[in-house]
Amino acid sequence: MYYIDPHVHMVSRVTDDYERMARMGCVAVSEPAFWAGFDRGSVDGFRDYFRQLTEFEPTRAGWSGIQHFTWLCINAKEAENVELSREVIAMIPEFLDRPGVIGIGEIGLNKNTMNESTIFREHLDLAMKTNELILIHTPHLQDKYRGTRMIVDMLLEDTRIQPQRVLIDHVEEHTVGVAREEGFWCAMTLYPTTKCTPARAADIIERYGDDRIMVNSAGDWGPSNPLAVPDFIQEMRRRGHSEAKIRKIVYDNPLEFFNQSSRFEFTPPDSAWDSQAADTDAD
Amino acid sequence: MPETRTAEEILEQCHLEIRCKLIEIAACLDRIERSGEFDVVRNDRRLAQYQESLQVLASDGVDRAEKLQMIFSDDYIPNWSK
């Protein structure tokens, strides 16, 4: 089955991971800007990171036939530095017209501080002024419930925001309802020990349905599995869910959400391979 | 959304996993308690959270995972922005 991993930090992964993902059916990824494991010291550090996301990473993904899309921001952890955050937000428009950039993300909260909230609101303002989709990171562990409620509060206070253009990520059993009830999209992250397991993600689908929801690996430099979406597919099959239902969650839903971005130029896999074959024939 | 499996089928598939995880929890708690300095953590908030969670596990319902999540969550503060 073809699938899309709508949240994976491929800059932290090796090229072999792209290849293994492609062999498992991955046809596209979207990569949000995130925390690199250390705080960057200047806006130029982010400028170089955005170049990597928009120039080299799509090329590297293409070596395995995977289409690469990206989101830009300063992440919630580094948003504690308000001065640097404002410099980065002012710089982001330099990259917004590049191919494959589909929105602002992953913005959000980390420790639910007022500085994080300030920068979150300023990211929302940028997204509204530039008509971008929004991808939101919700906090980890004990901070998640409070932070998700705070994020929804801030989204609702900005009357310009259209819920169907916002994706709230890393939802779990206690936050999926909070994210969905106001009409936002949401996503579940499949991690080995924190966030969701494939089985619990399948439980949430069975309980809340398959509309406006997707799953991702959020593979990065920490404990994570870039093949987690195929694990979810396998879990759903093991439970007897239809191929159409599974495909809706891992392929159709990401496409429906991403298609709202004018720069989401996706080539369906069959036509992509047909095109490659034609090129080969012409040689 | 209708369940694709009967309760009997799910129990059959999940039994060893549940058994394994419960024993792992028991072994972890044993490990903490038999250590030389258990009194240092006896009143640790996390141990109280485990006890509360075990009470939820022993209850009936279809939202025990959500209840456990809330045990390990900070409370929402209304009007936090003011």
Side-chain angles (χ1 to χ4, degrees), chain A residues 220-233:
Chain A
D220 58 18
W221 47 263
S224 53
N225 173 16
L227 300 181
V229 176
D231 288 348
F232 169 81
I233 293 170

PDB file of all heavy atoms in Angstrom, chain A residues 220-233:
ATOM      1  N   ASP A 220      13.208  10.988  14.048  1.00  0.00           N
ATOM      2  CA  ASP A 220      14.162  12.085  14.252  1.00  0.00           C
ATOM      3  C   ASP A 220      15.459  11.521  14.794  1.00  0.00           C
ATOM      4  O   ASP A 220      15.780  10.357  14.557  1.00  0.00           O
ATOM      5  CB  ASP A 220      13.563  13.165  15.167  1.00  0.00           C
ATOM      6  CG  ASP A 220      13.138  12.618  16.533  1.00  0.00           C
ATOM      7  OD1 ASP A 220      13.590  11.527  16.902  1.00  0.00           O
ATOM      8  OD2 ASP A 220      12.357  13.305  17.217  1.00  0.00           O
ATOM      9  N   TRP A 221      16.212  12.330  15.574  1.00  0.00           N
ATOM     10  CA  TRP A 221      17.504  11.878  16.090  1.00  0.00           C
ATOM     11  C   TRP A 221      17.378  11.088  17.379  1.00  0.00           C
ATOM     12  O   TRP A 221      18.359  10.533  17.876  1.00  0.00           O
ATOM     13  CB  TRP A 221      18.460  13.057  16.270  1.00  0.00           C
ATOM     14  CG  TRP A 221      17.847  14.240  16.984  1.00  0.00           C
ATOM     15  CD1 TRP A 221      17.311  15.355  16.397  1.00  0.00           C
ATOM     16  CD2 TRP A 221      17.667  14.404  18.396  1.00  0.00           C
ATOM     17  NE1 TRP A 221      16.806  16.201  17.360  1.00  0.00           N
ATOM     18  CE2 TRP A 221      17.026  15.644  18.600  1.00  0.00           C
ATOM     19  CE3 TRP A 221      17.985  13.644  19.511  1.00  0.00           C
ATOM     20  CZ2 TRP A 221      16.689  16.125  19.862  1.00  0.00           C
ATOM     21  CZ3 TRP A 221      17.653  14.119  20.780  1.00  0.00           C
ATOM     22  CH2 TRP A 221      17.014  15.348  20.936  1.00  0.00           C
ATOM     23  N   GLY A 222      16.188  11.038  17.974  1.00  0.00           N
ATOM     24  CA  GLY A 222      15.971  10.299  19.209  1.00  0.00           C
ATOM     25  C   GLY A 222      15.396   8.918  18.923  1.00  0.00           C
ATOM     26  O   GLY A 222      15.318   8.495  17.763  1.00  0.00           O
ATOM     27  N   PRO A 223      14.996   8.206  19.983  1.00  0.00           N
ATOM     28  CA  PRO A 223      14.370   6.898  19.768  1.00  0.00           C
ATOM     29  C   PRO A 223      13.109   7.040  18.918  1.00  0.00           C
ATOM     30  O   PRO A 223      12.144   7.693  19.325  1.00  0.00           O
ATOM     31  CB  PRO A 223      14.030   6.432  21.187  1.00  0.00           C
ATOM     32  CG  PRO A 223      14.937   7.204  22.081  1.00  0.00           C
ATOM     33  CD  PRO A 223      15.132   8.535  21.412  1.00  0.00           C
ATOM     34  N   SER A 224      13.114   6.484  17.739  1.00  0.00           N
ATOM     35  CA  SER A 224      11.989   6.633  16.813  1.00  0.00           C
ATOM     36  C   SER A 224      12.174   5.628  15.685  1.00  0.00           C
ATOM     37  O   SER A 224      13.256   5.077  15.508  1.00  0.00           O
ATOM     38  CB  SER A 224      11.918   8.059  16.257  1.00  0.00           C
ATOM     39  OG  SER A 224      13.171   8.447  15.701  1.00  0.00           O
ATOM     40  N   ASN A 225      11.112   5.427  14.932  1.00  0.00           N
ATOM     41  CA  ASN A 225      11.136   4.401  13.896  1.00  0.00           C
ATOM     42  C   ASN A 225      10.556   4.968  12.609  1.00  0.00           C
ATOM     43  O   ASN A 225       9.345   5.176  12.526  1.00  0.00           O
ATOM     44  CB  ASN A 225      10.315   3.189  14.361  1.00  0.00           C
ATOM     45  CG  ASN A 225      10.158   2.155  13.269  1.00  0.00           C
ATOM     46  OD1 ASN A 225      10.877   2.167  12.270  1.00  0.00           O
ATOM     47  ND2 ASN A 225       9.210   1.254  13.459  1.00  0.00           N
ATOM     48  N   PRO A 226      11.377   5.230  11.601  1.00  0.00           N
ATOM     49  CA  PRO A 226      10.847   5.810  10.367  1.00  0.00           C
ATOM     50  C   PRO A 226       9.897   4.879   9.615  1.00  0.00           C
ATOM     51  O   PRO A 226       9.237   5.325   8.682  1.00  0.00           O
ATOM     52  CB  PRO A 226      12.112   6.108   9.544  1.00  0.00           C
ATOM     53  CG  PRO A 226      13.151   5.205  10.096  1.00  0.00           C
ATOM     54  CD  PRO A 226      12.829   5.013  11.552  1.00  0.00           C
ATOM     55  N   LEU A 227       9.817   3.628  10.035  1.00  0.00           N
ATOM     56  CA  LEU A 227       8.877   2.685   9.413  1.00  0.00           C
ATOM     57  C   LEU A 227       7.646   2.464  10.292  1.00  0.00           C
ATOM     58  O   LEU A 227       6.966   1.441  10.181  1.00  0.00           O
ATOM     59  CB  LEU A 227       9.574   1.353   9.134  1.00  0.00           C
ATOM     60  CG  LEU A 227      10.777   1.426   8.191  1.00  0.00           C
ATOM     61  CD1 LEU A 227      11.373   0.046   7.983  1.00  0.00           C
ATOM     62  CD2 LEU A 227      10.381   2.036   6.854  1.00  0.00           C
ATOM     63  N   ALA A 228       7.343   3.403  11.147  1.00  0.00           N
ATOM     64  CA  ALA A 228       6.220   3.234  12.073  1.00  0.00           C
ATOM     65  C   ALA A 228       4.868   3.251  11.347  1.00  0.00           C
ATOM     66  O   ALA A 228       3.928   2.589  11.792  1.00  0.00           O
ATOM     67  CB  ALA A 228       6.244   4.323  13.146  1.00  0.00           C
ATOM     68  N   VAL A 229       4.750   4.007  10.269  1.00  0.00           N
ATOM     69  CA  VAL A 229       3.452   4.033   9.563  1.00  0.00           C
ATOM     70  C   VAL A 229       3.127   2.652   8.984  1.00  0.00           C
ATOM     71  O   VAL A 229       1.983   2.168   9.142  1.00  0.00           O
ATOM     72  CB  VAL A 229       3.419   5.147   8.494  1.00  0.00           C
ATOM     73  CG1 VAL A 229       2.107   5.089   7.709  1.00  0.00           C
ATOM     74  CG2 VAL A 229       3.563   6.513   9.159  1.00  0.00           C
ATOM     75  N   PRO A 230       4.083   1.956   8.347  1.00  0.00           N
ATOM     76  CA  PRO A 230       3.781   0.565   7.949  1.00  0.00           C
ATOM     77  C   PRO A 230       3.402  -0.330   9.130  1.00  0.00           C
ATOM     78  O   PRO A 230       2.590  -1.243   8.970  1.00  0.00           O
ATOM     79  CB  PRO A 230       5.090   0.100   7.294  1.00  0.00           C
ATOM     80  CG  PRO A 230       5.703   1.345   6.765  1.00  0.00           C
ATOM     81  CD  PRO A 230       5.351   2.419   7.753  1.00  0.00           C
ATOM     82  N   ASP A 231       3.977  -0.086  10.295  1.00  0.00           N
ATOM     83  CA  ASP A 231       3.574  -0.862  11.479  1.00  0.00           C
ATOM     84  C   ASP A 231       2.099  -0.622  11.809  1.00  0.00           C
ATOM     85  O   ASP A 231       1.373  -1.547  12.187  1.00  0.00           O
ATOM     86  CB  ASP A 231       4.426  -0.479  12.698  1.00  0.00           C
ATOM     87  CG  ASP A 231       5.853  -0.995  12.601  1.00  0.00           C
ATOM     88  OD1 ASP A 231       6.133  -1.827  11.715  1.00  0.00           O
ATOM     89  OD2 ASP A 231       6.695  -0.553  13.411  1.00  0.00           O
ATOM     90  N   PHE A 232       1.666   0.637  11.666  1.00  0.00           N
ATOM     91  CA  PHE A 232       0.250   0.959  11.894  1.00  0.00           C
ATOM     92  C   PHE A 232      -0.627   0.265  10.846  1.00  0.00           C
ATOM     93  O   PHE A 232      -1.686  -0.296  11.173  1.00  0.00           O
ATOM     94  CB  PHE A 232       0.046   2.480  11.828  1.00  0.00           C
ATOM     95  CG  PHE A 232      -1.390   2.907  11.786  1.00  0.00           C
ATOM     96  CD1 PHE A 232      -2.151   2.983  12.951  1.00  0.00           C
ATOM     97  CD2 PHE A 232      -1.999   3.225  10.582  1.00  0.00           C
ATOM     98  CE1 PHE A 232      -3.475   3.367  12.909  1.00  0.00           C
ATOM     99  CE2 PHE A 232      -3.327   3.616  10.534  1.00  0.00           C
ATOM    100  CZ  PHE A 232      -4.069   3.680  11.698  1.00  0.00           C
ATOM    101  N   ILE A 233      -0.183   0.292   9.599  1.00  0.00           N
ATOM    102  CA  ILE A 233      -0.944  -0.382   8.529  1.00  0.00           C
ATOM    103  C   ILE A 233      -1.120  -1.863   8.875  1.00  0.00           C
ATOM    104  O   ILE A 233      -2.215  -2.429   8.761  1.00  0.00           O
ATOM    105  CB  ILE A 233      -0.218  -0.215   7.172  1.00  0.00           C
ATOM    106  CG1 ILE A 233      -0.251   1.253   6.735  1.00  0.00           C
ATOM    107  CG2 ILE A 233      -0.843  -1.111   6.103  1.00  0.00           C
ATOM    108  CD1 ILE A 233       0.635   1.565   5.533  1.00  0.00           C
TER     109      ILE A 233
END
